[in-house]
Amino acid sequence: MNPVDHLIKKVSKYVSFGQPVSSGSLVSQRLSDPRMPMQAFYLTLQPKSEQEHYYHEVWLKKEGSFAITEAWYKDSTVTRSLVQDNISYEQLINTIGEEQSHHVVLRMTEIVKKSEREDWRPYSKRRT
């Protein structure tokens, strides 16, 4: 198992996977808002056209692959659509570039480190 696959497996233990809202209010998302048909955890945003408020977002999927969505933010609403689904880390590098992929790894590393710190665990799980 390569180091990134190991990191993905570890971070998957600590994050909550949910269905991202494809369109809806950023302030008060409702269950009735349209959802992306995937269980995923948000990792990062890559600006594509800041004037148009257009971005690509990277998501970690529950089974360990990645997804990329395009998102348009306007005022307090977002509209998303799926660009790529079920891609590996190597494919992610080819799609978003080495630097942005490195930021994804750093974010996952931070999540694991924060989650494994003794003082982060709930009180009942701390050693006494």
Side-chain angles (χ1 to χ4, degrees), residues 5-113:
D5 288 337
H6 183 66
L7 180 61
I8 290 169
K9 189 173 183 174
K10 283 185 88 169
V11 79
S12 293
K13 293 188 314 188
Y14 298 116
V15 298
S16 298
F17 293 95
Q19 287 187 289
V21 175
S22 58
S23 298
S25 169
L26 294 170
V27 178
S28 60
Q29 296 179 349
R30 294 175 296 279
L31 290 174
S32 60
D33 291 343
R35 306 262 167 184
M36 301 294 295
M38 63 180 179
Q39 294 283 309
F41 177 77
Y42 175 81
L43 288 173
T44 191
L45 181 81
Q46 184 180 29
K48 291 297 180 180
S49 172
E50 290 190 44
Q51 296 84 4
E52 296 177 25
H53 306 286
Y54 173 62
Y55 303 89
H56 277 183
E57 301 167 317
V58 177
W59 302 80
L60 175 62
K61 295 185 65 176
K62 200 170 189 172
E63 66 276 0
S65 64
F66 294 91
I68 298 174
T69 57
E70 55 186 4
W72 292 268
Y73 291 90
K74 183 166 176 148
D75 300 321
S76 63
T77 61
V78 63
T79 302
R80 285 190 179 94
S81 63
L82 194 57
V83 175
Q84 286 186 284
D85 197 7
N86 298 318
I87 60 175
S88 67
Y89 181 71
E90 290 75 27
Q91 292 169 311
L92 186 68
I93 293 171
N94 293 333
T95 304
I96 67 171
E98 214 168 299
E99 185 178 338
Q100 287 294 326
S101 297
H102 182 68
H103 290 298
V104 167
V105 169
L106 288 177
R107 171 123 160 86
M108 290 190 297
T109 302
E110 289 171 0
I111 291 167
V112 169
K113 284 181 180 178

Side-chain angles (χ1 to χ4, degrees), residues 117-128:
R117 277 197 341 238
E118 187 69 60
D119 60 341
W120 178 252
R121 294 182 186 158
Y123 183 76
S124 62
K125 292 184 180 179
R126 290 184 189 166
R127 292 182 214 168
T128 54

